[in-house]
Amino acid sequence: MVKTTSVMLQTLCVPCACRCRYCLLSWDGRICGADWERSRAVAGRFAAWLREERPELRFHFSFGYSMEHPQLPEALDFLRALGSVGADYLQCDGLRIRGAAETADFVRMLKEHGVRHLNFTVYGTEAYHDRFAGRKWDFRWLLALRASAREAGLETSIGVPLNRENAGQIDELTDTLGTEGLRLFVPHAEGRGRLLEPIRLRREDFDRLSDAAKALLNRRVWRTEAEWVAAPPPEPTERSLLLSLTPENIARYEQGDFAAILTEAEALDDSYYAPIPPVAELLRLYGDPEGEGFFSARDLAARYQKRWLSEHGLHPYDVTDERQTGSRRT
């Protein structure tokens, strides 16, 4: 039995200034989220209902595709009032590029409104990163914002999606960025991540990394397919519901039947996973005991689950598409 533990309500109502090859939300320049003010009002009522009726569930409210909200100070204050993680931890990819003075003012505003941590995604050295992010000067902007944040006393972290193309750049990149707050990770196949399959990190690429670079990849989380086959991960026991507000469904949420909305989201999750065998069985069916590609347990399971559904002619509503209402099992 999978237990629901949290609810994330989102509206994808803010554009992103980048067009990255690796994008969970497959940003294509078109906004698909509901109006901010209407979504904010729904979030306030939803949070109050959960406190009364389902206090065991954690609740967060978020917006995207980037954090470049036109009323960001007020939005941060609202997220903080709800207890949402986005009030403390700001994902900085896709923000508008600012000059030095404006950057300092921006960081000062973030600190005044309670942001404690800024996170960045860097795809490689400067030229590679800018091509990958689809924007010239993006690399320099992220480094300037990071420096300003550090000067202001804010915490910062950097994630580097590791692949076959950029593996040879990591030592040069750490010379530029340092290693404090930096981690390597293997990109998943969600959103536009599916297009990165030809450059998925393989054992031979990992083996060529320096010892210092290898230490930046959490090998408990990212393993080769062969390693997962030899030691299958446990079956997920919990799920987080993702409720995505759109112009088409916002009126339904405004009616306030939140119990029914949660029940329907859980039913979508149940319907998607019910016919699929357990992860360990999928590994026995499809797993390559000599597979050298690196995956997280969730990413490899998702690959096999989609393959199993396709082979059995099943095409359920995709609860793993994070642009729409769905779920995430852990």
Side-chain angles (χ1 to χ4, degrees):
M1 180 69 176
V2 177
K3 178 183 178 182
T4 300
T5 58
S6 67
V7 177
M8 171 67 82
L9 183 72
Q10 73 173 7
T11 177
L12 300 177
C13 65
V14 178
C16 180
C18 293
R19 193 68 66 86
C20 301
R21 285 170 61 189
Y22 172 57
C23 179
L24 172 67
L25 300 173
S26 300
W27 167 243
D28 61 2
R30 294 175 294 179
I31 294 298
C32 71
D35 172 76
W36 165 254
E37 291 298 336
R38 293 177 70 183
S39 299
R40 169 178 169 155
V42 166
R45 292 198 297 274
F46 207 154
W49 180 85
L50 284 169
R51 285 194 295 270
E52 291 294 323
E53 303 295 334
R54 298 290 303 275
E56 78 279 10
L57 297 181
R58 301 186 303 274
F59 177 75
H60 299 282
F61 178 52
S62 67
F63 57 87
Y65 292 84
S66 78
M67 299 299 289
E68 191 66 65
H69 195 290
Q71 292 90 39
L72 185 56
E74 293 80 2
L76 290 171
D77 291 345
F78 182 66
L79 295 181
R80 183 167 306 283
L82 294 181
S84 292
V85 66
D88 296 318
Y89 182 96
L90 196 77
Q91 169 54 250
C92 295
D93 303 331
L95 294 174
R96 175 175 60 83
I97 293 176
R98 294 162 167 83
E102 192 180 6
T103 296
D105 289 342
F106 180 70
V107 168
R108 190 177 305 112
M109 178 276 293
L110 295 178
K111 187 172 182 178
E112 289 173 353
H113 287 268
V115 174
R116 297 184 299 174
H117 189 119
L118 272 60
N119 177 258
F120 309 88
T121 304
V122 174
Y123 297 113
T125 51
E126 183 173 357
Y128 182 85
H129 171 92
D130 286 355
R131 288 195 303 272
F132 204 104
R135 179 168 66 163
K136 191 173 177 59
W137 311 119
D138 192 70
F139 183 89
R140 295 188 184 186
W141 153 242
L142 292 182
L143 266 61
L145 180 56
R146 178 196 189 211
S148 184
R150 285 183 159 186
E151 185 177 347
L154 297 179
E155 299 173 4
T156 66
S157 59
I158 294 176
V160 180
L162 187 60
N163 63 62
R164 304 203 77 184
E165 291 180 348
N166 69 5
Q169 303 173 20
I170 300 305
D171 286 335
E172 181 181 349
L173 193 61
T174 55
D175 286 344
T176 301
L177 303 176
T179 57
E180 182 182 353
L182 189 146
R183 69 180 180 95
L184 306 179
F185 66 95
V186 178
H188 55 63
E190 297 177 57
R192 273 205 292 273
R194 69 187 186 280
L195 303 178
L196 301 184
E197 188 56 38
I199 60 170
R200 179 176 293 279
L201 187 77
R202 296 177 62 82
R203 166 67 75 174
E204 61 186 291
D205 309 306
F206 179 79
D207 288 344
R208 283 197 291 265
L209 294 175
S210 68
D211 290 343
K214 288 177 182 176
L216 297 173
L217 181 71
N218 186 339
R219 291 286 277 114
R220 294 188 302 275
V221 176
W222 287 282
R223 306 179 186 180
T224 65
E225 183 175 10
E227 289 170 330
W228 286 121
V229 170
E235 193 71 15
T237 58
E238 298 181 348
R239 67 184 167 201
S240 300
L241 300 180
L242 173 65
L243 307 176
S244 194
L245 297 172
T246 69
E248 293 75 27
N249 70 15
I250 184 71
R252 166 82 190 289
Y253 281 79
E254 288 171 332
Q255 293 170 7
D257 192 355
F258 299 126
I261 287 170
L262 290 182
T263 297
E264 290 168 9
E266 289 176 329
L268 289 174
D269 174 89
D270 290 338
S271 296
Y272 183 86
Y273 289 103
I276 303 175
V279 173
E281 183 175 341
L282 292 173
L283 281 169
R284 287 194 296 271
L285 286 171
Y286 301 131
D288 181 354
E290 298 181 358
E292 295 188 347
F294 275 79
F295 298 83
S296 68
R298 184 175 185 274
D299 197 31
L300 189 59
R303 162 182 284 215
Y304 292 153
Q305 287 158 353
K306 291 182 185 300
R307 178 175 171 181
W308 192 92
L309 289 169
S310 176
E311 289 183 356
H312 288 78
L314 300 176
H315 305 284
Y317 174 92
D318 188 0
V319 296
T320 70
D321 185 339
E322 297 205 10
R323 294 168 297 179
Q324 60 189 26
T325 292
S327 60
R328 179 178 284 264
R329 289 194 171 193
T330 55

